[in-house]
Amino acid sequence: MSEAKTCTFPLNVEQICEIIPHRYPFLLVDRVLEITEEGNVLGYKNVTINEPFFQGHFPGKPIMPGVLIIEALAQLGAVFVLSRPVNRGRVAYLMGVDNARFRRPVVPGDRLDLKLTDMRFKGSFGKVHGVASVDGKVAAEADILFSLAPEKEKESAM
């Protein structure tokens, strides 16, 4: 997995946008701190009251939707997979979420720390375990399954 070393860390938002197709307001990773050769990935999202989802979730008691916490973990995984030279320019699709657990709410002002471990690949499919935490306390965790679009599909998506 040494191909991932083509990036210099940490990666900021502009560098992340060069790797994955997500954009505001749906870009949910602010910084990628580290990618190891074993496929462990560290990053974070700064959660602010200006996030559009807080207008409706919930008025007067803003809580980050759990599905968006899982999406942030999936986007961090996409940065890892798509930063590898062999996958540059391809698209990664979320294919499934297993064993998702939500342990504490994430609120404005929190820094949502994102960690991926146990990255495994089989052909164009992969699986990774993700943990999102705030101040060292687990907020959510899940096993995330993904696939890479074939080259032909990549070209038609542009």
Side-chain angles (χ1 to χ4, degrees):
M1 293 198 191
S2 60
E3 299 128 335
K5 288 196 161 197
T6 58
C7 300
T8 304
F9 298 97
L11 299 178
N12 62 31
V13 170
E14 291 82 15
Q15 293 165 309
I16 293 167
C17 285
E18 291 175 8
I19 299 169
I20 64 174
H22 303 79
R23 299 294 180 266
Y24 179 83
F26 212 68
L27 179 63
L28 299 174
V29 178
D30 291 330
R31 184 101 37 202
V32 177
L33 301 172
E34 177 182 37
I35 295 177
T36 68
E37 292 194 31
E38 297 80 30
N40 299 322
V41 188
L42 298 175
Y44 65 84
K45 166 155 187 54
N46 291 311
V47 181
T48 71
I49 192 63
N50 298 323
E51 308 287 350
F53 49 80
F54 284 136
Q55 292 176 21
H57 199 271
F58 299 104
K61 179 105 172 109
I63 297 172
M64 185 175 184
V67 68
L68 294 182
I69 297 170
I70 300 300
E71 174 66 21
L73 290 165
Q75 288 182 18
L76 186 65
V79 171
F80 170 75
V81 172
L82 300 176
S83 68
R84 300 173 77 191
V86 68
N87 295 326
R88 287 276 167 103
R90 295 182 75 182
V91 177
Y93 293 113
L94 178 63
M95 299 301 289
V97 177
D98 291 337
N99 306 311
R101 296 290 180 265
F102 302 96
R103 310 239 183 253
R104 71 176 298 279
V106 176
V107 299
D110 284 346
R111 179 177 128 160
L112 186 63
D113 293 313
L114 308 167
K115 181 178 182 179
L116 302 178
T117 58
D118 199 24
M119 180 87 61
R120 290 176 273 153
F121 294 94
K122 185 172 185 174
S124 63
F125 293 90
K127 184 176 184 179
V128 65
H129 182 73
V131 176
S133 60
V134 175
D135 296 328
K137 296 176 184 156
V138 174
E141 63 183 307
D143 295 320
I144 299 168
L145 298 92
F146 60 90
S147 87
L148 288 169
E151 290 292 322
K152 187 182 350 176
E153 197 173 322
K154 173 187 81 172
E155 292 170 10
S156 65
M158 293 181 176

